[in-house]
């Protein structure tokens, strides 16, 4: 059954249907000579007219143009055949290889019911010292990487992909929301070089594409994840870079649809849009989706409504600090601001909890003493405080780590450190066992055993 375009405004068009009108989120298409434009129904204006958002640009479309119904929401290919592929939001390959897919699923779904969700809490070890110790991940949990431009969000995401596949033999799905073409190309080449592309799926909604495309990118990636979790019973890592660009795309879509803006110009449906994605990311009795989401922080303002709307859904928040990056501490995670709901003695065990608490206390005390050191010098501190400063500096350096994905730039071989070795290393530093070792020996090493006393 066909409709026809009756008005066009930017990326939105009103379409008239003689009989039954499409449902909300139903996909439509306009076939032109040289391309096909997909649309998604957003509003039912009356019994004959719908307002649809174009997932492309409408320059060549004129009023009166015929529109076809697809009788379902957009579909994406799923299953083993999508592994190693690079797709766009419509599930079409953009890696110049044949589309030989045989299973498809709709991208708009409800979250699993509570009865199907798993209540087990299991630690997801990343092999990155500072994260495993101070902000551990939950298997099937949601992790936010917060930071401004250039503090290492994408590098950290790439390292997670490498670790998931190399260490856990898992599957990772990467959603590039509003990615620059250069970033996507670099990431693709890195994955091939690291020999992990065959267990990865990449979905891109590029920066130069229509807002509707960028807005739907996480949903396409999430649908592929859900298939691996529910049908193949696998543990999946979903990486979204950048969830803030999804919020921005939603803002553009909202403006195009004529909604009145809310706080700081954000869309009035902001909380609902974030929840529609976040609630689908969960563990079920079959498998889990662990999600790591990079969150751009505009002007480094953590109180921005877009940033705070994501915060409420997260189990672990990793705050990346520009100051730490400038000091050469990589990963540039702020150990005092970052936190995890999992850091509880009943979940991680009393030893891990006590060591993490002692590390935070030592680093916090060092932060307090920094002003005195800057004004009067370290000699003016009491012997006890001097000891705290010395150990804190060693802890800071010990919690740095060379990454596998940066080997060729830094010349340092990537290290994977078990949680047990991280706890042991911190224990030795805090107890004073390493007081005679020069602090520079702790920088960019793996486990404490690499230091020869």
């Amino acid at each position: 059954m066909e409709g026809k375009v009756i008005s066009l405004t930017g990326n939105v068009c009103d379409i008239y249907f003689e009989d039954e009108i499409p449902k909300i989120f139903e996909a439509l298409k306009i076939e032109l000579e040289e391309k096909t434009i997909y649309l998604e129904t957003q509003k039912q204006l009356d019994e004959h007219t719908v307002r649809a958002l174009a997932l492309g640009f409408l320059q060549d479309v004129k009023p009166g143009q015929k529109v076809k119904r697809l009788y379902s929401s957009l579909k994406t290919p799923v299953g083993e055949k999508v592994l190693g592929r690079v797709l766009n939001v419509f599930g079409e390959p953009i890696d110049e290889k044949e589309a030989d897919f045989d299973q498809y699923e709709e991208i708009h779904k409800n979250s699993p019911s509570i009865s199907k969700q798993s209540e087990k809490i299991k630690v997801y070890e990343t092999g990155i010292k500072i994260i495993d110790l101070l902000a551990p991940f939950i298997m099937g949990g949601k992790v936010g990487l917060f930071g401004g431009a250039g503090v290492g969000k994408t590098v950290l995401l790439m390292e997670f992909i490498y670790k998931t596949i190399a260490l856990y033999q898992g599957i990772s799905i990467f959603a590039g929301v509003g990615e620059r073409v250069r970033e996507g190309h670099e990431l693709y080449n890195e994955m091939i070089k690291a020999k992990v592309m065959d267990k990865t799926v990449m979905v891109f909604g590029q920066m130069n594409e229509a807002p509707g495309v960028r807005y739907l990118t996480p949903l396409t990636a999430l649908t592929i994840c859900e298939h691996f979790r529910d049908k193949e019973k696998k543990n999946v890592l979903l990486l979204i870079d950048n969830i803030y660009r999804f919020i921005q795309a939603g803002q553009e879509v909202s403006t195009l649809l004529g909604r009145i803006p809310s706080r700081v110009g954000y869309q009035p449906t902001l909380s609902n849009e974030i929840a529609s994605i976040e609630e689908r990311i969960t563990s079920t009795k079959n498998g889990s989706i662990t999600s790591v989401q990079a969150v751009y922080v505009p002007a480094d303002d953590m109180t921005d409504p877009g940033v705070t709307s994501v915060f409420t859904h997260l189990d672990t928040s990793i705050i990346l600090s520009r100051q730490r990056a400038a000091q050469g501490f990589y990963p540039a995670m702020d150990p005092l601001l970052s936190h995890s709901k999992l850091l509880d003695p009943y979940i991680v065990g009393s030893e891990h909890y006590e060591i993490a608490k002692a590390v935070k206390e030592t680093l916090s005390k060092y932060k307090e003493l920094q002003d005195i050191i800057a004004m009067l010098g370290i000699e003016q501190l009491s012997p006890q405080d001097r000891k705290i400063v010395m150990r804190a500096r060693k802890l800071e350096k010990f919690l740095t780590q060379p990454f596998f994905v940066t080997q060729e730039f830094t010349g340092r071989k990537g290290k994977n450190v078990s949680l047990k070795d991280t706890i042991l290393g911190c224990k030795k530093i805090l107890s004073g066992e390493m007081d005679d070792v020069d602090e520079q020996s702790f920088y960019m090493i793996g486990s404490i055993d690499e230091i020869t006393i």
Side-chain angles (χ1 to χ4, degrees):
M1 199 175 88
E2 290 183 341
K4 64 175 182 182
V5 175
I6 53 173
S7 76
L8 294 150
T9 316
N11 271 39
V12 170
C13 60
D14 291 352
I15 304 158
Y16 178 85
F17 288 88
E18 189 64 50
D19 302 316
E20 187 194 355
I21 60 168
K23 297 184 174 77
I24 301 292
F25 298 141
E26 186 179 317
L28 313 167
K29 69 176 178 181
I30 297 173
E31 288 174 333
L32 302 172
E33 278 177 31
E34 64 287 348
K35 64 178 177 180
T36 299
I37 298 171
Y38 289 94
L39 304 103
E40 190 176 75
T41 310
Q42 294 286 336
K43 276 184 184 177
Q44 295 174 330
L45 300 178
D46 57 41
E47 62 265 34
H48 289 294
T49 319
V50 295
R51 182 161 291 164
L53 175 73
L55 307 175
F57 298 105
L58 296 170
Q59 293 99 320
D60 306 322
V61 178
K62 296 175 179 64
Q65 192 94 44
K66 290 201 167 103
V67 181
K68 284 186 181 169
R69 286 183 66 179
L70 296 182
Y71 294 97
S72 73
S73 65
L74 279 177
K75 290 183 176 179
T76 184
V78 293
E80 293 288 330
K81 287 193 174 177
V82 298
L83 289 174
R85 303 302 301 268
V86 185
L87 310 172
N88 63 15
V89 73
F90 310 110
E92 299 164 346
I94 50 174
D95 53 8
E96 298 181 340
K97 293 178 193 165
E98 281 297 304
D100 59 342
F101 310 125
D102 50 14
Q103 289 176 282
Y104 287 82
E105 286 183 18
E106 292 187 31
I107 66 169
H108 287 282
K109 292 181 178 179
N110 294 324
S111 59
S113 63
I114 289 175
S115 62
K116 287 181 183 166
Q117 293 181 25
S118 168
E119 65 285 346
K120 286 180 192 157
I121 294 178
K122 192 178 168 195
V123 178
Y124 185 96
E125 222 175 284
T126 64
I128 299 169
K129 291 181 283 192
I130 192 165
I131 290 174
D132 288 343
L133 181 73
L134 302 177
F137 289 11
I138 301 175
M139 184 78 84
K142 295 180 266 285
V143 180
L145 288 182
F146 292 84
V151 292
K153 294 187 296 298
T154 305
V155 171
L156 207 45
L157 284 180
M158 284 162 67
E159 186 72 2
F160 290 141
I161 294 178
Y162 183 89
K163 292 277 178 68
T164 300
I165 293 159
L167 303 176
Y168 285 97
Q169 285 72 52
I171 286 171
S172 66
I173 317 290
F174 180 87
V177 186
E179 281 283 278
R180 299 172 186 89
V181 175
R182 172 187 58 77
E183 289 176 337
H185 199 260
E186 281 172 12
L187 185 64
Y188 180 60
N189 288 334
E190 282 294 333
M191 295 296 107
I192 290 171
K193 240 181 259 175
K195 298 186 174 62
V196 294
M197 192 61 213
D198 60 329
K199 292 284 182 207
T200 305
V201 184
M202 291 184 171
V203 181
F204 285 107
Q206 288 163 206
M207 202 173 245
N208 61 327
E209 295 190 85
V213 170
R214 286 178 273 129
Y215 180 73
L216 293 176
T217 305
L219 298 181
T220 300
L222 193 45
T223 305
I224 298 169
C225 288
E226 286 169 332
H227 176 86
F228 281 114
R229 178 192 67 193
D230 300 334
K231 306 280 186 344
E232 316 270 338
K233 302 195 173 173
K234 288 198 163 58
N235 294 324
V236 188
L237 180 68
L238 169 64
L239 301 115
I240 303 174
D241 187 11
N242 186 307
I243 197 80
Y244 185 76
R245 294 202 194 110
F246 162 76
I247 293 168
Q248 281 183 314
Q251 198 175 359
E252 290 174 57
V253 167
S254 182
T255 305
L256 286 166
L257 293 170
R259 296 187 189 125
I260 296 165
S262 179
R263 258 193 327 156
V264 200
Y266 283 105
Q267 59 271 42
T269 51
L270 175 63
S271 301
N272 194 35
E273 286 170 14
I274 290 288
S276 69
I277 286 185
E278 301 289 1
E279 293 304 303
R280 283 170 67 179
I281 301 169
T282 183
S283 286
T284 65
K285 295 181 169 64
N286 293 327
S288 68
I289 300 174
T290 305
S291 154
V292 182
Q293 305 163 25
V295 188
Y296 168 69
V297 180
D300 291 346
D301 175 19
M302 294 301 286
T303 61
D304 184 272
V307 176
T308 53
S309 68
V310 180
F311 247 128
T312 52
H313 293 277
L314 301 174
D315 301 301
T316 302
S317 300
I318 293 174
I319 316 291
L320 297 174
S321 149
R322 199 174 296 285
Q323 188 189 355
R324 287 181 68 78
Q327 291 170 313
F329 296 138
Y330 288 103
M333 172 179 141
D334 189 314
L336 300 176
L337 292 179
S338 304
H339 65 90
S340 169
K341 291 177 185 170
L342 202 63
L343 201 57
D344 180 299
Y346 295 106
I347 297 168
V348 297
S350 55
E351 185 188 36
H352 179 171
Y353 177 74
E354 292 302 331
I355 293 293
K357 197 167 133 208
V359 166
K360 282 197 170 192
E361 280 170 7
T362 306
L363 294 174
S364 177
K365 183 75 173 148
Y366 173 44
K367 196 178 178 187
E368 286 169 25
L369 294 168
Q370 274 174 333
D371 288 344
I372 299 169
I373 296 166
M375 286 187 291
L376 306 171
I378 199 163
E379 296 76 24
Q380 299 303 312
L381 298 178
S382 68
Q384 185 57 35
D385 282 349
R386 250 180 283 176
K387 207 173 271 182
I388 287 170
V389 168
M390 180 182 67
R391 287 174 189 169
R393 288 166 72 108
K394 285 175 184 175
L395 282 170
E396 277 189 329
K397 289 185 169 61
F398 176 62
L399 292 174
T400 60
Q401 191 167 338
F403 281 174
F404 289 96
V405 294
T406 57
Q407 276 176 182
E408 60 185 280
F409 308 116
T410 61
R412 286 190 170 100
K413 198 170 179 303
K415 298 282 167 70
N416 184 67
V417 186
S418 70
L419 178 59
K420 201 171 86 186
D421 286 346
T422 303
I423 291 170
L424 179 69
C426 293
K427 214 176 192 174
K428 283 186 172 182
I429 295 168
L430 289 165
S431 67
E433 204 179 311
M434 312 299 283
D435 282 0
D436 298 332
V437 182
D438 177 52
E439 66 180 58
Q440 212 50 45
S441 310
F442 295 87
Y443 185 64
M444 285 291 170
I445 62 167
S447 67
I448 202 93
D449 301 341
E450 289 178 34
I451 298 172
T452 47
I453 301 172

